[in-house]
Amino acid sequence: MKVKEIIHSKWFFIVTALLPMLIFYIIFCVVPKITAFYYPFTEYDGISAPVMVGMKNFKILAHDFDLWASMKNNVFFWSITMPLNFFIALIVAYILSQKNYPTANFYKTLYYLPAILPGVIIALMWQFAYHGRYGIFNALLNLIGVNVGEKYWLTHDLYAKLALILPMVWSGWATNMLIFMGAINSVPVSLYESAELDGASDTVKLFKITIPVIWETMKTMIFLGIAGLFGAFELILIMTNGGPAGATEVVGTYMYKIAFGAEGVAAFGYAAAIGLILFLILSTISIFAFRFMDRGDAIELGG
Amino acid sequence: MARKEQGQSGMVKRQNVGDYILRGLLALWALIIILPLIWVIYTSLKTNQEFFMSAWGWPKTLQWNNYLIAWKELGIGQSVLNTVYLVVGSMLLNTFLLSTGCYVLARFKFPGSNLIYWFIVGSYFVTGLNTMVTGYILMRQLNLLNSLTGLIAFYAAQPLVFNTLILTAAMKGQPKELEEAAYIDGATYWQTFFHVGLPLSAPTLLTINILNFMRFYNDFLHPLLFIRDESKFPLSVAIYSMSQAMAYRSDWVTLFAAFVIMMIPTITIYAVFQKNMTNNLMVGSLKG
């Protein structure tokens, strides 16, 4: 009788219903985040127990030329793809929301399609598209009269860097488009109507009405875009694996190689130290941007 | 709606050269975006000889056989089974953990309930690459490496942060009357949860699971890190390792058939649930 009472009590329900989620959350989400502050101060090959080495990893890291070169590549990719993703999305979203073309919904669906495809397929597809002899990219260039011969885009250091931007934008911009469309559709119709009565052109309406009203959303998106600084890691890992000769190496691929690379012993401590530096850089920029933009509602949008 | 009508009546008058140019540009942009996909699809229906001759030429006869070869010889069949187990298992486990936990957080006030909510939702911004290594070390210490079930346990926990935010809010908005009536009829708390609370939140759980599907099905990094045996590879890693082997056998058309096979579920889900996925709030989660 007593057991049954306990089983049917409110407290028993709360504990049994909440505990599974909490246990899984703590083990698989919280623990890796906490140990991310421990392993950077150790030397750990994954076989023998980790040894505390103090700041040693960070001293090596400060003079690791390859690491800072890969960080520069992150900045390179980010500083090109983020504005592209942003402005293409803004323009397309404006046209789709304002023009009422009957095809608007069809285009919205189609444009967003690459964003939902498996990352591995996107990367492999583009890798083959850049193939010198059989890839569609050169075939397309030929079609519009640009003959580059059998150019293998991913084996030349500068071309590889430029070639990676296309799939990044191809699969990345449409997410911004959807957010912009949501924001633009919330602009009061009456504003446009009175502007149209005054004979305002589309450009005037975009700059005088739409952008000022969705300004807050745009700031939030810039803020969220900062988190993309170390993104596109999988794409690069598959398409070039950082090559040729480190030309497209980003922090993610570099860290991956140190931790899981085939050659030598896995240096988990050092790789974790790079992870911690990434975390600190992102947090610093985010806090800075957050205060600079004076944002409180970034949370609403998600990211 | 008012704007739409107004716009459409106005459109007849204002359809000028600029509109034609804009619509042309939209169509061109669509073509550019869809072109690589079209290329993959029609190449997957060629013979290798046809493919090596020209990137543009259409196949003489559609080689559906390529799909059969991909399925059998490249071992896609086994990977599909692995993927089904992995994705369905992760979705079910996440749904169970999430719905029970959020129901408590939404419906019961007790000392520390708010603290627990913020403990989970608060780490929303603390994500990223920095746990790649420590996550791997954890899985290794738990002896969960090279196990699809281990990956399910890991996956099920990953979207908890964002999903808790969504589901707790949705459950708080559900009417309490039905649950109160159930208690009066003598239902236990667990019965009330399963028969009243859970069904009411079905629409939100559907949306969450569409996103979960995309997240688990499309993921490449974690199976790459955690799964060693080829026989346990889910599709994403299996197709990657096939393409690595392409260096030794240039059988592009079969590989492209495998690409298409992997895209079919994603595109199907997108086609069916497009509205749920292009919803503004959800977009944020996909980006993260």
Side-chain angles (χ1 to χ4, degrees), chain A residues 185-206:
Chain A
N185 284 332
S186 69
V187 176
V189 183
S190 57
L191 287 180
Y192 291 114
E193 284 170 352
S194 53
E196 275 163 28
L197 286 177
D198 295 341
S201 70
D202 286 321
T203 326
V204 172
K205 280 192 282 179
L206 173 64

Side-chain angles (χ1 to χ4, degrees), chain B residues 210-251:
Chain B
I210 294 165
L211 297 172
N212 278 353
F213 173 85
M214 291 294 174
R215 178 191 269 263
F216 302 143
Y217 183 82
N218 289 354
D219 186 38
F220 165 73
L221 182 63
H222 294 101
L224 179 74
L225 290 178
F226 297 165
I227 308 291
R228 281 287 138 81
D229 290 350
E230 227 166 276
S231 63
K232 292 179 187 167
F233 279 172
L235 269 175
S236 56
V237 183
I239 287 180
Y240 173 67
S241 79
M242 278 172 214
S243 84
Q244 299 291 91
M246 254 325 117
Y248 309 103
R249 45 180 292 197
S250 5
D251 186 5

Side-chain angles (χ1 to χ4, degrees), chain B residues 23-36:
Chain B
R23 296 181 72 167
L25 286 175
L26 287 179
L28 184 69
W29 187 234
L31 191 69
I32 293 171
I33 283 169
I34 207 76
L35 192 70

Side-chain angles (χ1 to χ4, degrees), chain A residues 128 131-136 139 142 150 152, chain B residues 39 42-60 63 66 245-256:
Chain A
F128 285 103
H131 190 278
R133 183 175 294 182
Y134 307 121
I136 187 120
N142 265 321
E150 280 188 15
Y152 283 79
Chain B
W39 176 62
Y42 81 65
T43 299
S44 75
L45 293 169
K46 286 179 172 182
T47 64
N48 275 308
Q49 284 73 20
E50 282 172 325
F51 172 71
F52 291 137
M53 250 161 18
S54 154
W56 299 115
W58 287 91
K60 274 204 191 71
Q63 303 290 325
N66 292 342
M246 254 325 117
Y248 309 103
R249 45 180 292 197
S250 5
D251 186 5
W252 286 48
V253 294
T254 311
L255 184 67
F256 279 30

Side-chain angles (χ1 to χ4, degrees), chain A residues 24 33 39 103 108 117 123 135 139 146 160 174 187 228 234 246 285 288 301:
Chain A
F24 270 80
K33 279 171 188 158
Y39 287 111
T103 43
K108 175 182 155 188
L117 292 178
V146 184
V187 176
E234 277 185 25
I285 301 175
F288 229 34
L301 252 171

Side-chain angles (χ1 to χ4, degrees), chain A residues 16-17 25 27-29 32-33 39 46 101 109 111-112 116 124 134 136 170 173 175-176 255-256 275 302-303, chain B residues 19 26 29 33 39 100 119 123-124 126 129-130 134 138 140-141 157 190 218 224 243 266 270 274 283 286-288:
Chain A
T16 49
Y25 176 68
I27 294 177
F28 293 104
C29 295
K33 279 171 188 158
Y39 287 111
Y101 293 141
T109 308
Y111 289 161
Y112 191 59
I116 55 108
L124 290 174
Y134 307 121
I136 187 120
W170 185 77
W173 74 282
T175 309
N176 294 352
M255 188 166 100
Y256 178 87
Chain B
D19 281 314
L26 287 179
W29 187 234
I33 283 169
W39 176 62
T100 51
F119 173 58
S123 69
Y124 194 44
V126 193
L129 275 177
N130 63 312
T134 51
L138 172 79
R140 189 181 174 127
Q141 284 166 341
W190 272 107
N218 289 354
L224 179 74
S243 84
T266 314
Y270 177 56
Q274 193 240 110
V283 170
L286 273 184
K287 202 176 178 176

Side-chain angles (χ1 to χ4, degrees), chain A residues 135-280:
Chain A
I136 187 120
F137 191 73
N138 283 348
L140 201 63
L141 287 181
N142 265 321
L143 200 71
I144 58 169
V146 184
N147 196 343
V148 291
E150 280 188 15
K151 186 183 282 302
Y152 283 79
W153 292 89
L154 297 176
T155 55
H156 178 286
D157 44 5
L158 175 65
Y159 294 144
K161 268 170 112 169
L162 295 176
L164 283 172
I165 288 168
L166 216 51
M168 287 177 193
V169 174
W170 185 77
S171 60
W173 74 282
T175 309
N176 294 352
M177 174 194 77
L178 288 186
I179 298 174
F180 275 136
M181 284 182 82
I184 291 173
N185 284 332
S186 69
V187 176
V189 183
S190 57
L191 287 180
Y192 291 114
E193 284 170 352
S194 53
E196 275 163 28
L197 286 177
D198 295 341
S201 70
D202 286 321
T203 326
V204 172
K205 280 192 282 179
L206 173 64
F207 283 100
K208 297 284 177 189
I209 300 170
T210 310
I211 290 181
V213 175
I214 67 167
W215 185 239
E216 292 302 306
T217 305
M218 289 173 67
K219 286 203 291 189
T220 306
M221 284 172 65
I222 295 170
F223 176 74
L224 293 173
I226 293 167
L229 177 56
F230 296 112
F233 147 68
E234 277 185 25
L235 186 90
I236 295 172
L237 184 75
I238 296 170
M239 283 185 70
T240 64
N241 196 16
T248 59
E249 195 87 86
V250 288
V251 181
T253 54
Y254 185 67
M255 188 166 100
Y256 178 87
K257 281 174 195 167
I258 286 177
F260 311 107
E263 80 272 12
V265 186
F268 288 132
Y270 188 55
I274 296 172
L276 184 57
I277 291 290
L278 284 192
F279 172 72
L280 292 177

Side-chain angles (χ1 to χ4, degrees), chain A residues 64-81:
Chain A
D64 186 342
F65 176 77
D66 290 340
L67 173 65
W68 299 106
S70 61
M71 211 164 278
K72 247 170 75 186
N73 281 337
N74 274 111
V75 173
F76 170 83
F77 288 124
W78 179 76
S79 60
I80 293 178
T81 55

